[in-house]
Amino acid sequence: MRNWFSARALALLASFLLALPAAAQRAPQLGREYREVKPVQATSAPEKIEVIEFFWYGCPHCNALEPALQAWIGKQADDVVIRKVPAGFRNWRVHQQMFYALEAMDKVDALHAKIFRAIHVNRNPLANFDQQADFVAANGVDRKAFAANYKSFTVATQMQRANKLVEAYGLDGVPAFAVNGKYFTAPAMAGGNVRVLEVLDYLIERERKAAAR
């Protein structure tokens, strides 16, 4: 009897363990871990699957997510494009303006992680133009060119477009993500930083399959 019970218990345990990966990879729940965007928004790259990352450099949650997010971005296929959109709530606009000035100079990729580090590790808030100009100059960016872009019509226009996107997606906090103009999710919705990346994987694959039909 004892041998039979042991064998049966082992079989049940094996079944339970085999079921764990499937449970961990369960399909995200609509209305709980992500929501549909209505109306659907146009994307900047219709031929690809666009993922918008809404963020703020001063956000500690964005900073905490950043290493895992960058690793995740590095694993994406060529049919996925990542678009960073800095939110412009309240006093966030000064960082938004810095982002678009650096983007106009093609310097975002080089300085993105360094900006997070300056604010959250080195305690430099980069809260005004002078602090930002000193910082970018110390990191190899021409100060005069940065100043010119900072005050440019192009940057002002980009900020306006970003704020319209924030409104269109009903953003009320960061970090958050939109997938192909159709879906919206965030760590606060999904249940954490690990899970939100799983939700993004699910939504990207859903869009990939929809395009293949």
Side-chain angles (χ1 to χ4, degrees), residues 19-173:
L20 282 179
Q25 297 173 11
R26 62 177 173 78
Q29 294 179 294
L30 175 62
R32 183 172 181 178
E33 294 174 275
Y34 71 98
R35 63 173 168 81
E36 293 179 336
V37 176
K38 295 182 180 180
V40 172
Q41 299 298 306
T43 68
S44 61
E47 72 284 1
K48 297 199 174 193
I49 301 170
E50 181 186 74
V51 176
I52 296 177
E53 173 203 351
F54 292 103
F55 74 99
W56 170 44
Y57 280 124
C59 168
H61 305 293
C62 297
N63 179 59
L65 175 62
E66 186 64 14
L69 178 61
Q70 291 307 313
W72 178 85
I73 290 173
K75 296 176 183 177
Q76 298 311 302
D78 291 341
D79 64 342
V80 176
V81 60
I82 311 297
R83 180 181 176 192
K84 297 182 185 299
V85 175
F89 298 126
R90 302 180 295 277
N91 61 329
W92 299 9
R93 294 195 179 193
V94 67
H95 288 161
Q96 185 186 53
Q97 192 168 358
M98 173 178 62
F99 174 89
Y100 283 118
L102 290 173
E103 185 179 68
M105 302 173 72
D106 197 25
K107 297 293 185 180
V108 168
D109 288 346
L111 294 184
H112 192 65
K114 292 181 179 180
I115 292 171
F116 274 115
R117 183 173 182 81
I119 294 172
H120 297 280
V121 177
N122 299 331
R123 304 303 178 189
N124 179 357
L126 302 178
N128 56 55
F129 171 77
D130 287 334
Q131 289 178 352
Q132 293 174 7
D134 288 344
F135 169 80
V136 301
N139 283 277
V141 175
D142 183 85
R143 187 186 181 105
K144 289 184 179 179
F146 176 73
N149 279 285
Y150 196 85
K151 300 171 184 177
S152 69
F153 175 76
T154 298
V155 166
T157 301
Q158 290 289 75
M159 291 172 68
Q160 290 175 358
R161 289 175 179 170
N163 294 334
K164 287 181 180 179
L165 273 179
V166 164
E167 183 178 352
Y169 281 101
L171 187 74
D172 59 3

Side-chain angles (χ1 to χ4, degrees), residues 3-23:
N3 291 339
W4 176 85
F5 178 79
S6 297
R8 186 167 184 267
L10 287 171
L12 289 172
L13 178 60
S15 298
F16 173 75
L17 292 174
L18 286 171
L20 282 179

